[in-house]
Amino acid sequence: MPPEDITAEEMVSRLLYRDGLMLVVDKPAGIAVHRGPKGGESLEDYFGALRFGLPQAPALAHRLDRDTSGCLVLGRHRKALAQLGKLFKLGAIGKTYWAVVEGGPDRKVGQIELPLGRLDVARGWWMKHDPDGQPAVTKWAVMGRSTLPPGGGRSTYRRQDGWG
C-alpha cells in the first residue's frame, strides 16, 4: 500500500488492539514506520487518527522495516512508552517473524549469532554483518514443510530476533 493511499479511516481500520497503555496496528509492507534520513512519508504521519480523545498522537514503541508487515506496538502516552520500552529491553515482549521460502535448511532449528552494523549511514537502519557492530542473535525453526509438484518445495520458518 503506497503512503498516499493512507487515510484516517485506513489507520483506524488497521487497529488490532487498544487499551489505556498501547495500541497494536497491522502495519502493511512497503511503507516506513517513520521518516528515515531521506525523509518522505511514513506511517507515523497518520498516527493522529489514533488519538481516541488523548491530546497527543501515539508514538512508536519499536520499529519494523519498510518491507516487513506485522503488528506494530504504539505507546499512547509518555509513561506508556517508557513502560513498553522497558518490557522490550527486558525481553518480556519479543518479535516473531514468519517467512515462506523456497528450499530450506536440513536442520529443524538453528541460531545465528552475528554482530550487526549499518551498511550505509545515509540509508539509515539497513543492517549488515559487521564484526565491530552490535551483538545480534536470531533463532529460527522450521515450522512445517510441504512439497510442490516435481521440481520445487516450500518451507515455513519462524524467525525470532533478540536484537532490534
Side-chain angles (χ1 to χ4, degrees), residues 66-122:
R66 175 187 301 270
D67 295 329
T68 302
S69 64
C71 297
L72 184 65
V73 179
L74 309 175
R76 296 197 66 197
H77 47 77
R78 195 172 350 136
K79 281 186 178 179
L81 277 173
Q83 186 175 358
L84 289 165
K86 184 176 180 180
L87 292 171
F88 272 105
K89 186 175 182 174
L90 294 173
I93 299 176
K95 298 179 192 176
T96 299
Y97 296 83
W98 291 78
V100 176
V101 299
E102 187 172 336
D106 295 330
R107 296 184 301 154
K108 288 190 162 204
V109 297
Q111 182 169 304
I112 302 166
E113 295 184 47
L114 290 173
L116 297 177
R118 288 184 181 186
L119 183 62
D120 181 350
V121 175

Side-chain angles (χ1 to χ4, degrees), residues 1-2 21 57 71 117 120 122 141 146 152 164:
M1 168 193 11
L21 174 70
C71 297
D120 181 350
S146 66

Side-chain angles (χ1 to χ4, degrees), residues 21-144:
L21 174 70
M22 68 179 166
L23 304 173
V24 179
V25 175
D26 175 18
K27 181 213 171 290
I31 183 170
V33 294
H34 61 82
R35 285 193 176 109
K38 294 181 181 177
E41 285 193 285
S42 69
L43 201 62
E44 193 173 39
D45 296 334
Y46 303 92
F47 287 175
L50 301 174
R51 290 191 340 208
F52 299 108
L54 293 180
Q56 303 254 336
L60 295 165
H62 68 101
R63 298 179 304 268
L64 291 175
D65 291 340
R66 175 187 301 270
D67 295 329
T68 302
S69 64
C71 297
L72 184 65
V73 179
L74 309 175
R76 296 197 66 197
H77 47 77
R78 195 172 350 136
K79 281 186 178 179
L81 277 173
Q83 186 175 358
L84 289 165
K86 184 176 180 180
L87 292 171
F88 272 105
K89 186 175 182 174
L90 294 173
I93 299 176
K95 298 179 192 176
T96 299
Y97 296 83
W98 291 78
V100 176
V101 299
E102 187 172 336
D106 295 330
R107 296 184 301 154
K108 288 190 162 204
V109 297
Q111 182 169 304
I112 302 166
E113 295 184 47
L114 290 173
L116 297 177
R118 288 184 181 186
L119 183 62
D120 181 350
V121 175
R123 250 187 108 147
W125 290 102
W126 190 45
M127 307 310 270
K128 71 162 190 163
H129 170 248
D130 179 350
D132 298 322
Q134 291 184 289
V137 176
T138 299
K139 297 176 184 177
W140 58 266
V142 176
M143 302 304 293

